[in-house]
Each structure stands twice: as structure tokens, then as C-alpha cells.
């Protein structure tokens, strides 16, 4: 169970979580649009920015905003933990009855909150934003993303909607459900679906990044995909038993045939090519299957170590919680994890 108890501030209806990593040039425009949207909503809100170990001026600029608008709160992580973990940290610090997760680079238009909220008021627990288009993304990125979701849904136990990022609204009960998930390997897109509840979609056009460049490259995406497969499916592990069986049964008959033939017709030396092919083929299969087992084993190791998910260096705007946090850190107990 998470160790951070949410401070119940029932007067806050909407919490917005923004994970930020090196987004100094996007913050002005982000807050300009986001605060305009929130002001129109005529509701109580807070904006929780998770500074995920930014190396530029992001924190300084966030602080300027925090002092100007107290509704903007900051959780400053001790280093870069990656977006998935930044989001989990954000969920731990929210108070709102509804929580919206939004990117800092304006690829998730804040104006869409106007459509997310009514759906929630209608009674949906999760309202996710599905993109109609992927402007500014290459053909390769689009097709690999499509293939990824296709395969993932084929082999995984939960249905993960296509073309849907983390941009969504979550009801408090879903947030509490997510906070109970202790996994260190956090494939959030999968977890959002896995928890269930009443879910619905809202469609939007996803614009390209406002400023800066995405921190994702193909290597990271590949690892992200592996995370998805291994977190939500045992298929890659099981497949080897079936493949092994499919090869072993014919091999048994073939071996029987060879033994009989040798006994009847005598020893027959040629066969170097077929031997070599068989050795290389099976050697390859064995290495691949060991690799797959290794992927799972590594993740088991990570889970077993049970390290806290993240550490918080400091927080701004959380009142009581803030004071407690600093005390604990100063007391030498380390930061606040889960
Ligand atoms: N982000 C983060 N930690 C990271 C990488 C990204 O908090 O290690 C944030 C980033 O600041 C942005 C969001 O996650 O608000 C999405 O990041 P990005 O635009 O790089 O991803 P993409 O839109 O390409 O999926
Ligand atoms: Mg982006």
C-alpha cells in the first residue's frame, strides 16, 4: 500500500497532473491555455506538476508560477524516473474528485477538458482521449505503433485502446485503485485498462509538440513495448513450450526412422549440412527463448527488490504534507517513496 495518505481536501473537484521533463519552453504556453480552460470551468482545481528531474530551467519557472498561482503545486522528484513513474507520483499527490493527466508539450490540448468533464459528470469513471490523427509523426512511428497495439491486444488479457495516450480523466475511485498497484514495472496504459470501471472515449486531433523534442527514440519505444508485453501477457513465455512440442514430436519420429534405417541399412556418414542446420536452428531458438525468460526474470528481480517507486526531493503547495515531507527527509530517513 502506498505510504502517502492523501490529505482529504474535499473542496477540490479537479486535479490536473502534468509530468514535466525539460519543458522550460512549453510552460508559458501550457499554463496560459490550461489556466484559461480551468478558469472557465467554474470549479475548484489544482495543477500538480511533477518535475521529473529536469536538467534545464523547468523547476525555476515552475516555482515562479507556483508563487503567482497557488493552485499550481510542484512535486520535485529526486532524479529522472521516466513518465510512467512521474505519473504514479502525481496520482499519490492528488486531492481532486476527478483527475486529469495531461502532457506538458501541448500535444494534449487542454481545451479537451471541456469534453472530458461532462462525461465524468454523466457517470463514467475513466474518460480517455483517443487521437484521430497523429500529425507530426513519421510513417514508421505510426505503423509501428499500430502493430504494437495490434499484437498487444491479441496476446494480452486486457483490451488496451488504440491511439490512446495517458491523456484522460480518472475518477477518484480509479485513482485509489491505481495507487494500490505496487508494481515497479509500470505500463500505465495497460494498468488504466486493467483496473476496469466504466470507461469511455473522447476523440481529438493530436497536434505536434509545441517546442522541444520528444524524449522517445526507437530504442526507448522498443523497451516500452517489451514492458507492455511482459506486464500484460505470458504468451511470450508459453509460446516456447508449444514450439518445442511442435519440433520435438516430428523430431522423435524422424529419429526413430533414422535409428531403424541405420540398424537395417548400416551406417551412413553424409549429412553434415543437415546436422549443421539443425544445430544452428535449435541453438538459435534456445537462445531466443532464454532471452524471453530473461526479460521476465529481470522484471521479477526488480519487483522482488521492492525498492520505492520514486523519491521526492521537495514539494511546493501541499501545506501540511509539505512540512512533514521535509522533516522526514531531514531526519535522514530518505525521501518519500511508496
Ligand atoms: N516526460 C517525463 N519524464 C520523462 C519523459 C517525458 O515526465 O522521462 C513528460 C514530458 O515532459 C511530457 C510527457 O512526459 O510532458 C510526454 O513526453 P514526450 O512528449 O517526450 O512523449 P511523446 O509525446 O512523444 O509520447
Ligand atoms: Mg509529446
Amino acid at each position: 500500500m502506498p505510504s502517502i495518505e492523501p490529505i482529504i481536501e474535499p473542496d477540490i473537484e479537479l486535479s490536473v497532473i502534468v509530468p514535466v521533463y525539460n519543458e522550460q519552453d512549453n510552460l508559458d504556453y501550457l499554463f496560459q491555455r490550461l489556466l484559461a480552460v480551468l478558469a472557465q470551468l467554474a470549479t475548484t482545481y489544482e495543477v500538480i506538476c511533477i518535475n521529473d528531474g529536469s536538467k534545464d530551467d523547468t523547476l525555476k519557472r515552475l516555482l515562479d508560477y507556483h508563487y503567482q498561482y497557488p493552485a499550481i503545486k510542484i512535486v520535485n522528484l529526486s532524479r529522472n524516473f521516466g513518465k510512467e513513474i512521474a505519473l504514479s507520483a502525481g496520482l499519490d499527490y492528488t486531492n481532486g474528485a476527478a483527475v486529469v493527466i495531461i502532457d506538458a508539450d501541448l500535444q494534449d490540448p487542454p481545451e479537451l477538458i471541456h469534453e472530458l468533464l461532462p462525461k465524468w459528470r454523466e457517470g463514467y469513471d475513466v474518460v480517455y482521449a483517443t487521437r484521430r490523427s497523429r500529425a507530426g509523426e513519421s510513417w514508421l512511428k505510426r505503423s509501428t505503433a499500430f502493430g504494437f497495439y495490434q499484437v498487444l491486444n491479441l496476446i494480452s488479457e486486457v483490451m488496451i485502446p488504440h491511439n490512446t495516450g495517458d491523456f484522460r480523466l480518472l475518477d477518484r475511485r480509479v485513482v485509489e485503485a491505481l495507487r494500490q498497484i505496487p508494481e515497479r514495472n509500470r505500463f500505465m496504459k495497460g494498468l488504466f485498462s486493467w483496473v476496469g470501471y466504466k470507461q469511455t472515449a473522447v476523440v481529438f486531433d493530436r497536434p505536434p509538440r509545441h517546442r522541444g523534442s520528444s524524449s522517445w527514440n526507437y530504442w526507448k519505444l522498443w523497451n516500452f513495448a517489451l514492458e507492455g508485453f511482459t506486464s500484460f501477457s505470458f504468451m511470450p513465455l508459453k509460446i516456447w513450450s508449444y514450439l518445442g512440442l511442435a519440433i520435438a514430436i516430428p523430431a522423435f519420429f524422424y529419429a526413430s526412422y533414422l535409428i531403424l534405417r541405420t540398424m537395417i541399412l548400416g551406417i551412413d556418414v553424409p549429412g553434415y549440412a543437415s546436422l549443421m542446420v539443425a544445430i544452428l536452428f535449435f541453438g538459435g531458438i534456445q537462445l531466443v527463448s532464454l532471452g524471453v525468460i530473461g526479460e521476465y526474470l529481470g522484471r521479477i528481480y526488480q519487483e522482488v527488490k521492492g525498492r520505492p517507486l520514486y523519491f521526492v526531493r521537495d514539494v511546493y503547495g501541499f501545506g501540511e504534507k509539505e512540512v512533514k515531507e521535509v522533516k522526514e527527509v531531514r531526519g535522514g530517513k530518505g525521501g518519500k517513496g511508496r
Side-chain angles (χ1 to χ4, degrees), residues 19-21 23 50 52 80 82-83 86 102-105 107 141 206 209 213-216:
V20 278
Y21 176 55
E23 302 280 7
I50 314 298
D52 189 14
N80 178 255
K83 186 185 177 188
I102 195 166
D103 279 2
D105 59 4
Q107 284 198 284
K141 171 105 188 256
R206 192 166 212 241
R209 234 174 188 281
S213 57
S214 169
S215 54
W216 292 94

